[in-house]
Every structure is written in structure tokens, then in C-alpha cells.
Amino acid sequence: YIQLLAETGIVGFLLMTLLIILMMFKIISVVKEKPVFWNILLIYWIILFGVYSFTGNTLYYPCQLIVLIIIILLVSNIKVADSSIITPSYNSEKYLDAFFISILEQDYEKYEIIFINDGSTDRTENIVYKYKEKFEERNIRFVYLKQENGGQAKAMNLGFPYIQGKYFIWPDSDDELYRNNISEKVKY
């Protein structure tokens, strides 16, 4: 800060301090909602170290502000799931296409899927992998877990630690969800 004060004067120093404080409040609010932020913050410090190393002190502070503003804007637009769909399944191959399509057609996009294969002996796993790709192409988190057959309760208990949303629903794998199923639940 002493060097900043010498380079910009007291007004520049105060403005820079105010901007840093305001950005820190924004960062704190983003961190609460978006755990991905910590990875981006690491990239931020690596970029700043590079700028500082190659340019010296003169451009360091303006570059720091510019990079921080860009990162805040990027992080603010990251889609983070606030709703989780947790579904156990046992030998449900004939229902899975309709189930996954009904989820893909939701009018709400901030959700994730935790799908637990409870020891299926049919083509359940193949179908799950096919749809896992489709969800990931849309940047929807898809967690696939597999266990030996132990029943629905055991399968659900396996999946609960993976939930990141504030809300969760637990449809069966032979269910089809209405297009507004999640959005209507989130409203309340």
C-alpha cells in the first residue's frame, strides 16, 4: 500500500482501498453460493503473479483490478444447482429413457442429478451413461453411483452425501416429471 500511495496519491489510494473492500464483499457473497469460486480464485492469483513478474509494479494494481472484475463477472454467471434430484434404481431399463427425457425437458435449469444403481442386472448402467453425457453437455452435474443390491433405503443413503442443492426431490426411476416439476417446487 505504501508504494500504491506513492504512485497514485492519497485519492488513488483511497479509491483503490474502497474498490478492494467492495469487491471483497462481492466475493464473499459469491463464495457462499458457488464453491467453484475457490478454483477460479487460484487461477486469479496465478495470473496476477505472472503480471507482476513480467511488468513490475507499475501495471500490477490496475491489472489486479481488471482481472478481479472479470473473475467476479464470470463467477456471477456460473450455473450452480440449487435443487437436487436423487433417484435409486433397480432393473429399470425400460423406464429410464422416459425418466431422463422428462428431466432434460424441465423448464428449470439449476439442478443436479444423483443416480444410484442398486445392483441392476439389466442394461440400466448403459442407459445411465448415455444420458450422463447429455446432462454434462448442458453443464448439469450428474453423479452416478453403483452398489450391490441392498434396497432403496441403502441406495438413498449412499446418495445423500452427494447432494449440493438447497432442495431435493426423490422420484423413482420409473417416474416421468412434468415440465414444470422442479420450478413449481422451487417457488415454494
Short mmCIF file of all heavy atoms in Angstrom, two decimals, residues 28-79:
data_model
loop_
_atom_site.label_atom_id
_atom_site.label_comp_id
_atom_site.label_asym_id
_atom_site.label_seq_id
_atom_site.Cartn_x
_atom_site.Cartn_y
_atom_site.Cartn_z
N ILE A 28 -17.25 -12.54 -1.19
CA ILE A 28 -17.78 -13.32 -0.07
C ILE A 28 -19.19 -13.80 -0.39
O ILE A 28 -19.54 -14.96 -0.14
CB ILE A 28 -17.74 -12.49 1.23
CG1 ILE A 28 -16.29 -12.32 1.67
CG2 ILE A 28 -18.59 -13.14 2.32
CD1 ILE A 28 -16.09 -11.31 2.77
N SER A 29 -20.02 -12.96 -0.99
CA SER A 29 -21.38 -13.39 -1.32
C SER A 29 -21.37 -14.46 -2.41
O SER A 29 -22.18 -15.37 -2.40
CB SER A 29 -22.24 -12.20 -1.76
OG SER A 29 -21.82 -11.71 -3.00
N VAL A 30 -20.43 -14.38 -3.35
CA VAL A 30 -20.34 -15.37 -4.41
C VAL A 30 -19.84 -16.70 -3.84
O VAL A 30 -20.34 -17.76 -4.19
CB VAL A 30 -19.39 -14.88 -5.53
CG1 VAL A 30 -19.03 -16.00 -6.48
CG2 VAL A 30 -20.03 -13.74 -6.29
N VAL A 31 -18.87 -16.65 -2.92
CA VAL A 31 -18.30 -17.87 -2.35
C VAL A 31 -19.36 -18.67 -1.61
O VAL A 31 -19.39 -19.90 -1.67
CB VAL A 31 -17.12 -17.54 -1.41
CG1 VAL A 31 -16.72 -18.74 -0.59
CG2 VAL A 31 -15.94 -17.04 -2.22
N LYS A 32 -20.26 -18.00 -0.93
CA LYS A 32 -21.31 -18.70 -0.18
C LYS A 32 -22.17 -19.55 -1.10
O LYS A 32 -22.62 -20.62 -0.71
CB LYS A 32 -22.19 -17.69 0.56
CG LYS A 32 -21.52 -17.07 1.75
CD LYS A 32 -22.46 -16.10 2.41
CE LYS A 32 -21.76 -15.39 3.56
NZ LYS A 32 -22.62 -14.37 4.15
N GLU A 33 -22.40 -19.09 -2.32
CA GLU A 33 -23.27 -19.80 -3.24
C GLU A 33 -22.52 -20.70 -4.21
O GLU A 33 -23.09 -21.62 -4.76
CB GLU A 33 -24.08 -18.80 -4.06
CG GLU A 33 -25.00 -17.93 -3.24
CD GLU A 33 -25.70 -16.90 -4.09
OE1 GLU A 33 -25.66 -17.00 -5.31
OE2 GLU A 33 -26.28 -15.98 -3.51
N LYS A 34 -21.24 -20.42 -4.46
CA LYS A 34 -20.55 -21.09 -5.55
C LYS A 34 -19.19 -21.63 -5.12
O LYS A 34 -18.19 -20.92 -5.15
CB LYS A 34 -20.38 -20.11 -6.70
CG LYS A 34 -21.75 -19.64 -7.18
CD LYS A 34 -21.68 -18.54 -8.16
CE LYS A 34 -23.12 -18.19 -8.53
NZ LYS A 34 -23.30 -17.00 -9.18
N PRO A 35 -19.11 -22.90 -4.73
CA PRO A 35 -17.84 -23.46 -4.31
C PRO A 35 -16.79 -23.51 -5.41
O PRO A 35 -15.60 -23.58 -5.14
CB PRO A 35 -18.20 -24.87 -3.85
CG PRO A 35 -19.57 -25.14 -4.34
CD PRO A 35 -20.21 -23.83 -4.64
N VAL A 36 -17.21 -23.43 -6.66
CA VAL A 36 -16.29 -23.39 -7.79
C VAL A 36 -15.38 -22.16 -7.70
O VAL A 36 -14.29 -22.13 -8.25
CB VAL A 36 -17.10 -23.36 -9.12
CG1 VAL A 36 -16.24 -23.04 -10.30
CG2 VAL A 36 -17.81 -24.67 -9.32
N PHE A 37 -15.84 -21.17 -6.96
CA PHE A 37 -15.11 -19.91 -6.85
C PHE A 37 -13.67 -20.11 -6.39
O PHE A 37 -12.77 -19.42 -6.84
CB PHE A 37 -15.84 -18.97 -5.88
CG PHE A 37 -15.12 -17.67 -5.69
CD1 PHE A 37 -15.22 -16.70 -6.65
CD2 PHE A 37 -14.34 -17.46 -4.58
CE1 PHE A 37 -14.54 -15.50 -6.49
CE2 PHE A 37 -13.67 -16.27 -4.42
CZ PHE A 37 -13.78 -15.29 -5.38
N TRP A 38 -13.43 -21.04 -5.48
CA TRP A 38 -12.08 -21.22 -4.95
C TRP A 38 -11.11 -21.63 -6.05
O TRP A 38 -9.95 -21.20 -6.05
CB TRP A 38 -12.09 -22.24 -3.82
CG TRP A 38 -12.81 -21.71 -2.63
CD1 TRP A 38 -14.01 -22.12 -2.16
CD2 TRP A 38 -12.43 -20.59 -1.82
NE1 TRP A 38 -14.39 -21.35 -1.09
CE2 TRP A 38 -13.44 -20.40 -0.85
CE3 TRP A 38 -11.34 -19.73 -1.81
CZ2 TRP A 38 -13.38 -19.41 0.10
CZ3 TRP A 38 -11.29 -18.74 -0.85
CH2 TRP A 38 -12.29 -18.59 0.09
N ASN A 39 -11.53 -22.45 -6.99
CA ASN A 39 -10.67 -22.82 -8.11
C ASN A 39 -10.35 -21.60 -8.97
O ASN A 39 -9.23 -21.41 -9.41
CB ASN A 39 -11.32 -23.89 -8.97
CG ASN A 39 -11.48 -25.19 -8.23
OD1 ASN A 39 -10.70 -25.50 -7.35
ND2 ASN A 39 -12.50 -25.94 -8.57
N ILE A 40 -11.35 -20.77 -9.21
CA ILE A 40 -11.14 -19.58 -10.02
C ILE A 40 -10.23 -18.59 -9.30
O ILE A 40 -9.38 -17.94 -9.91
CB ILE A 40 -12.49 -18.96 -10.41
CG1 ILE A 40 -13.23 -19.92 -11.34
CG2 ILE A 40 -12.31 -17.60 -11.07
CD1 ILE A 40 -14.62 -19.52 -11.71
N LEU A 41 -10.38 -18.49 -7.99
CA LEU A 41 -9.52 -17.59 -7.22
C LEU A 41 -8.05 -18.01 -7.33
O LEU A 41 -7.17 -17.16 -7.44
CB LEU A 41 -9.97 -17.56 -5.75
CG LEU A 41 -9.31 -16.50 -4.88
CD1 LEU A 41 -9.65 -15.10 -5.42
CD2 LEU A 41 -9.76 -16.62 -3.44
N LEU A 42 -7.80 -19.30 -7.34
CA LEU A 42 -6.44 -19.78 -7.51
C LEU A 42 -5.89 -19.35 -8.87
O LEU A 42 -4.75 -18.87 -8.96
CB LEU A 42 -6.40 -21.31 -7.38
CG LEU A 42 -5.05 -21.97 -7.59
CD1 LEU A 42 -4.06 -21.51 -6.53
CD2 LEU A 42 -5.19 -23.48 -7.56
N ILE A 43 -6.67 -19.48 -9.92
CA ILE A 43 -6.26 -19.04 -11.25
C ILE A 43 -5.98 -17.53 -11.24
O ILE A 43 -5.01 -17.06 -11.82
CB ILE A 43 -7.33 -19.40 -12.30
CG1 ILE A 43 -7.42 -20.92 -12.43
CG2 ILE A 43 -7.04 -18.75 -13.65
CD1 ILE A 43 -8.63 -21.39 -13.21
N TYR A 44 -6.83 -16.79 -10.53
CA TYR A 44 -6.66 -15.34 -10.40
C TYR A 44 -5.29 -15.00 -9.83
O TYR A 44 -4.55 -14.18 -10.38
CB TYR A 44 -7.78 -14.80 -9.51
CG TYR A 44 -7.56 -13.44 -8.94
CD1 TYR A 44 -7.62 -12.31 -9.76
CD2 TYR A 44 -7.30 -13.26 -7.60
CE1 TYR A 44 -7.44 -11.06 -9.23
CE2 TYR A 44 -7.12 -12.00 -7.06
CZ TYR A 44 -7.18 -10.90 -7.88
OH TYR A 44 -7.00 -9.67 -7.36
N TRP A 45 -4.90 -15.66 -8.76
CA TRP A 45 -3.61 -15.34 -8.15
C TRP A 45 -2.45 -15.76 -9.04
O TRP A 45 -1.42 -15.09 -9.09
CB TRP A 45 -3.50 -15.99 -6.77
CG TRP A 45 -4.38 -15.32 -5.78
CD1 TRP A 45 -5.48 -15.84 -5.16
CD2 TRP A 45 -4.30 -13.95 -5.34
NE1 TRP A 45 -6.07 -14.91 -4.36
CE2 TRP A 45 -5.37 -13.74 -4.44
CE3 TRP A 45 -3.45 -12.90 -5.62
CZ2 TRP A 45 -5.58 -12.52 -3.82
CZ3 TRP A 45 -3.67 -11.69 -4.99
CH2 TRP A 45 -4.72 -11.50 -4.11
N ILE A 46 -2.60 -16.84 -9.79
CA ILE A 46 -1.55 -17.25 -10.73
C ILE A 46 -1.38 -16.21 -11.83
O ILE A 46 -0.27 -15.82 -12.18
CB ILE A 46 -1.86 -18.64 -11.33
CG1 ILE A 46 -1.74 -19.71 -10.24
CG2 ILE A 46 -0.95 -18.95 -12.51
CD1 ILE A 46 -2.26 -21.07 -10.63
N ILE A 47 -2.50 -15.71 -12.38
CA ILE A 47 -2.44 -14.67 -13.41
C ILE A 47 -1.78 -13.42 -12.86
O ILE A 47 -0.90 -12.83 -13.50
CB ILE A 47 -3.85 -14.36 -13.96
CG1 ILE A 47 -4.38 -15.54 -14.76
CG2 ILE A 47 -3.84 -13.09 -14.81
CD1 ILE A 47 -5.85 -15.42 -15.14
N LEU A 48 -2.17 -13.03 -11.66
CA LEU A 48 -1.59 -11.82 -11.09
C LEU A 48 -0.10 -11.96 -10.82
O LEU A 48 0.66 -11.03 -11.03
CB LEU A 48 -2.30 -11.45 -9.79
CG LEU A 48 -3.67 -10.85 -9.99
CD1 LEU A 48 -4.27 -10.46 -8.66
CD2 LEU A 48 -3.60 -9.64 -10.89
N PHE A 49 0.32 -13.13 -10.39
CA PHE A 49 1.74 -13.35 -10.18
C PHE A 49 2.50 -13.19 -11.50
O PHE A 49 3.56 -12.57 -11.55
CB PHE A 49 1.99 -14.74 -9.59
CG PHE A 49 3.45 -15.02 -9.37
CD1 PHE A 49 4.13 -14.42 -8.32
CD2 PHE A 49 4.14 -15.86 -10.22
CE1 PHE A 49 5.48 -14.67 -8.14
CE2 PHE A 49 5.48 -16.11 -10.05
CZ PHE A 49 6.16 -15.51 -8.99
N GLY A 50 1.90 -13.73 -12.58
CA GLY A 50 2.53 -13.57 -13.89
C GLY A 50 2.60 -12.12 -14.33
O GLY A 50 3.63 -11.66 -14.83
N VAL A 51 1.52 -11.37 -14.14
CA VAL A 51 1.51 -9.95 -14.50
C VAL A 51 2.56 -9.19 -13.69
O VAL A 51 3.32 -8.39 -14.22
CB VAL A 51 0.11 -9.33 -14.27
CG1 VAL A 51 0.15 -7.81 -14.36
CG2 VAL A 51 -0.88 -9.90 -15.28
N TYR A 52 2.63 -9.47 -12.41
CA TYR A 52 3.59 -8.79 -11.54
C TYR A 52 5.02 -9.14 -11.95
O TYR A 52 5.89 -8.28 -11.99
CB TYR A 52 3.35 -9.19 -10.08
CG TYR A 52 4.27 -8.48 -9.12
CD1 TYR A 52 4.04 -7.16 -8.78
CD2 TYR A 52 5.35 -9.15 -8.55
CE1 TYR A 52 4.88 -6.50 -7.90
CE2 TYR A 52 6.18 -8.49 -7.67
CZ TYR A 52 5.94 -7.18 -7.35
OH TYR A 52 6.77 -6.52 -6.47
N SER A 53 5.25 -10.40 -12.28
CA SER A 53 6.59 -10.84 -12.65
C SER A 53 7.08 -10.18 -13.94
O SER A 53 8.24 -9.82 -14.05
CB SER A 53 6.63 -12.36 -12.84
OG SER A 53 6.29 -13.00 -11.65
N PHE A 54 6.18 -10.05 -14.93
CA PHE A 54 6.61 -9.55 -16.23
C PHE A 54 6.54 -8.03 -16.36
O PHE A 54 7.24 -7.45 -17.17
CB PHE A 54 5.79 -10.20 -17.35
CG PHE A 54 6.09 -11.65 -17.53
CD1 PHE A 54 5.15 -12.61 -17.20
CD2 PHE A 54 7.33 -12.07 -17.99
CE1 PHE A 54 5.43 -13.96 -17.35
CE2 PHE A 54 7.62 -13.42 -18.14
CZ PHE A 54 6.67 -14.36 -17.82
N THR A 55 5.70 -7.38 -15.61
CA THR A 55 5.53 -5.94 -15.80
C THR A 55 6.14 -5.10 -14.69
O THR A 55 6.29 -3.91 -14.84
CB THR A 55 4.04 -5.57 -15.88
OG1 THR A 55 3.41 -5.88 -14.64
CG2 THR A 55 3.36 -6.28 -17.02
N GLY A 56 6.45 -5.70 -13.57
CA GLY A 56 6.93 -4.91 -12.45
C GLY A 56 5.76 -4.27 -11.73
O GLY A 56 4.61 -4.60 -11.97
N ASN A 57 6.03 -3.33 -10.91
CA ASN A 57 5.00 -2.76 -10.04
C ASN A 57 4.04 -1.80 -10.74
O ASN A 57 2.93 -1.60 -10.29
CB ASN A 57 5.65 -2.02 -8.87
CG ASN A 57 6.41 -2.97 -7.98
OD1 ASN A 57 6.14 -4.17 -7.98
ND2 ASN A 57 7.36 -2.47 -7.22
N THR A 58 4.45 -1.18 -11.85
CA THR A 58 3.66 -0.12 -12.45
C THR A 58 2.27 -0.57 -12.89
O THR A 58 1.30 0.09 -12.62
CB THR A 58 4.41 0.46 -13.67
OG1 THR A 58 5.75 0.72 -13.29
CG2 THR A 58 3.74 1.72 -14.15
N LEU A 59 2.17 -1.72 -13.55
CA LEU A 59 0.88 -2.19 -14.06
C LEU A 59 0.20 -3.19 -13.13
O LEU A 59 -0.90 -3.62 -13.41
CB LEU A 59 1.06 -2.85 -15.43
CG LEU A 59 1.50 -1.91 -16.55
CD1 LEU A 59 1.75 -2.72 -17.82
CD2 LEU A 59 0.43 -0.87 -16.82
N TYR A 60 0.84 -3.54 -12.04
CA TYR A 60 0.32 -4.59 -11.17
C TYR A 60 -1.06 -4.26 -10.62
O TYR A 60 -1.98 -5.05 -10.73
CB TYR A 60 1.30 -4.85 -10.03
CG TYR A 60 0.84 -5.90 -9.07
CD1 TYR A 60 0.75 -7.23 -9.45
CD2 TYR A 60 0.48 -5.57 -7.77
CE1 TYR A 60 0.33 -8.21 -8.57
CE2 TYR A 60 0.06 -6.54 -6.88
CZ TYR A 60 -0.01 -7.85 -7.29
OH TYR A 60 -0.43 -8.81 -6.41
N TYR A 61 -1.24 -3.08 -10.05
CA TYR A 61 -2.52 -2.75 -9.41
C TYR A 61 -3.67 -2.58 -10.40
O TYR A 61 -4.75 -3.13 -10.17
CB TYR A 61 -2.36 -1.53 -8.50
CG TYR A 61 -1.44 -1.80 -7.35
CD1 TYR A 61 -0.17 -1.26 -7.30
CD2 TYR A 61 -1.83 -2.66 -6.32
CE1 TYR A 61 0.68 -1.53 -6.26
CE2 TYR A 61 -0.98 -2.95 -5.27
CZ TYR A 61 0.28 -2.37 -5.24
OH TYR A 61 1.12 -2.66 -4.21
N PRO A 62 -3.47 -1.88 -11.50
CA PRO A 62 -4.57 -1.81 -12.47
C PRO A 62 -4.92 -3.19 -13.04
O PRO A 62 -6.10 -3.52 -13.20
CB PRO A 62 -4.04 -0.89 -13.57
CG PRO A 62 -2.96 -0.10 -12.93
CD PRO A 62 -2.38 -0.97 -11.87
N CYS A 63 -3.93 -4.02 -13.32
CA CYS A 63 -4.19 -5.37 -13.83
C CYS A 63 -4.92 -6.21 -12.79
O CYS A 63 -5.80 -6.98 -13.11
CB CYS A 63 -2.89 -6.06 -14.23
SG CYS A 63 -2.20 -5.41 -15.76
N GLN A 64 -4.56 -6.03 -11.54
CA GLN A 64 -5.21 -6.76 -10.47
C GLN A 64 -6.70 -6.42 -10.44
O GLN A 64 -7.54 -7.31 -10.35
CB GLN A 64 -4.56 -6.42 -9.12
CG GLN A 64 -5.13 -7.19 -7.97
CD GLN A 64 -4.43 -6.87 -6.66
OE1 GLN A 64 -3.69 -5.92 -6.57
NE2 GLN A 64 -4.68 -7.67 -5.66
N LEU A 65 -7.02 -5.17 -10.55
CA LEU A 65 -8.42 -4.75 -10.55
C LEU A 65 -9.18 -5.30 -11.76
O LEU A 65 -10.28 -5.80 -11.64
CB LEU A 65 -8.53 -3.23 -10.54
CG LEU A 65 -8.54 -2.58 -9.17
CD1 LEU A 65 -8.60 -1.07 -9.31
CD2 LEU A 65 -9.71 -3.07 -8.34
N ILE A 66 -8.58 -5.20 -12.92
CA ILE A 66 -9.23 -5.66 -14.14
C ILE A 66 -9.50 -7.16 -14.07
O ILE A 66 -10.60 -7.62 -14.35
CB ILE A 66 -8.38 -5.30 -15.39
CG1 ILE A 66 -8.41 -3.78 -15.59
CG2 ILE A 66 -8.90 -6.03 -16.62
CD1 ILE A 66 -7.38 -3.29 -16.57
N VAL A 67 -8.48 -7.93 -13.67
CA VAL A 67 -8.64 -9.38 -13.59
C VAL A 67 -9.68 -9.74 -12.54
O VAL A 67 -10.53 -10.61 -12.74
CB VAL A 67 -7.28 -10.06 -13.29
CG1 VAL A 67 -7.47 -11.54 -12.99
CG2 VAL A 67 -6.35 -9.89 -14.47
N LEU A 68 -9.67 -9.07 -11.40
CA LEU A 68 -10.64 -9.35 -10.34
C LEU A 68 -12.06 -9.05 -10.81
O LEU A 68 -12.98 -9.83 -10.57
CB LEU A 68 -10.30 -8.53 -9.10
CG LEU A 68 -11.09 -8.85 -7.84
CD1 LEU A 68 -10.95 -10.31 -7.46
CD2 LEU A 68 -10.65 -7.97 -6.69
N ILE A 69 -12.26 -7.95 -11.52
CA ILE A 69 -13.59 -7.61 -12.03
C ILE A 69 -14.06 -8.66 -13.03
O ILE A 69 -15.21 -9.11 -12.99
CB ILE A 69 -13.59 -6.20 -12.65
CG1 ILE A 69 -13.44 -5.13 -11.55
CG2 ILE A 69 -14.85 -5.95 -13.47
CD1 ILE A 69 -13.14 -3.76 -12.05
N ILE A 70 -13.19 -9.10 -13.93
CA ILE A 70 -13.54 -10.11 -14.91
C ILE A 70 -13.93 -11.41 -14.22
O ILE A 70 -14.94 -12.04 -14.55
CB ILE A 70 -12.38 -10.35 -15.91
CG1 ILE A 70 -12.24 -9.13 -16.82
CG2 ILE A 70 -12.62 -11.62 -16.73
CD1 ILE A 70 -10.99 -9.14 -17.66
N ILE A 71 -13.17 -11.82 -13.21
CA ILE A 71 -13.46 -13.06 -12.50
C ILE A 71 -14.79 -12.96 -11.77
O ILE A 71 -15.59 -13.89 -11.79
CB ILE A 71 -12.31 -13.43 -11.55
CG1 ILE A 71 -11.12 -13.91 -12.38
CG2 ILE A 71 -12.74 -14.49 -10.55
CD1 ILE A 71 -9.88 -14.19 -11.61
N ILE A 72 -15.06 -11.84 -11.15
CA ILE A 72 -16.34 -11.66 -10.45
C ILE A 72 -17.50 -11.77 -11.43
O ILE A 72 -18.50 -12.43 -11.16
CB ILE A 72 -16.37 -10.33 -9.68
CG1 ILE A 72 -15.45 -10.40 -8.47
CG2 ILE A 72 -17.79 -9.98 -9.25
CD1 ILE A 72 -15.26 -9.09 -7.76
N LEU A 73 -17.35 -11.17 -12.60
CA LEU A 73 -18.41 -11.26 -13.60
C LEU A 73 -18.61 -12.70 -14.09
O LEU A 73 -19.73 -13.16 -14.24
CB LEU A 73 -18.11 -10.34 -14.78
CG LEU A 73 -18.19 -8.83 -14.48
CD1 LEU A 73 -17.70 -8.04 -15.67
CD2 LEU A 73 -19.60 -8.44 -14.10
N LEU A 74 -17.51 -13.41 -14.31
CA LEU A 74 -17.60 -14.79 -14.75
C LEU A 74 -18.24 -15.68 -13.69
O LEU A 74 -19.12 -16.48 -13.97
CB LEU A 74 -16.22 -15.34 -15.11
CG LEU A 74 -15.58 -14.79 -16.37
CD1 LEU A 74 -14.16 -15.30 -16.52
CD2 LEU A 74 -16.39 -15.18 -17.60
N VAL A 75 -17.79 -15.53 -12.45
CA VAL A 75 -18.29 -16.36 -11.38
C VAL A 75 -19.76 -16.07 -11.11
O VAL A 75 -20.54 -16.95 -10.78
CB VAL A 75 -17.44 -16.18 -10.10
CG1 VAL A 75 -18.09 -16.84 -8.91
CG2 VAL A 75 -16.06 -16.74 -10.32
N SER A 76 -20.16 -14.83 -11.27
CA SER A 76 -21.56 -14.47 -11.04
C SER A 76 -22.50 -15.17 -12.01
O SER A 76 -23.67 -15.36 -11.71
CB SER A 76 -21.75 -12.95 -11.18
OG SER A 76 -21.00 -12.28 -10.21
N ASN A 77 -21.99 -15.58 -13.17
CA ASN A 77 -22.83 -16.22 -14.18
C ASN A 77 -22.74 -17.74 -14.17
O ASN A 77 -23.36 -18.40 -15.00
CB ASN A 77 -22.46 -15.70 -15.57
CG ASN A 77 -22.82 -14.24 -15.71
OD1 ASN A 77 -23.82 -13.80 -15.17
ND2 ASN A 77 -21.99 -13.49 -16.39
N ILE A 78 -21.97 -18.33 -13.26
CA ILE A 78 -21.86 -19.78 -13.20
C ILE A 78 -23.18 -20.37 -12.71
O ILE A 78 -23.75 -19.90 -11.74
CB ILE A 78 -20.71 -20.21 -12.27
CG1 ILE A 78 -19.37 -19.82 -12.88
CG2 ILE A 78 -20.75 -21.71 -12.00
CD1 ILE A 78 -18.18 -20.10 -11.98
N LYS A 79 -23.63 -21.38 -13.41
CA LYS A 79 -24.89 -22.03 -13.03
C LYS A 79 -24.60 -23.05 -11.93
O LYS A 79 -23.89 -24.03 -12.16
CB LYS A 79 -25.49 -22.70 -14.25
CG LYS A 79 -26.81 -23.39 -13.98
CD LYS A 79 -27.48 -23.85 -15.25
CE LYS A 79 -26.70 -24.90 -15.96
NZ LYS A 79 -27.37 -25.47 -17.11
#
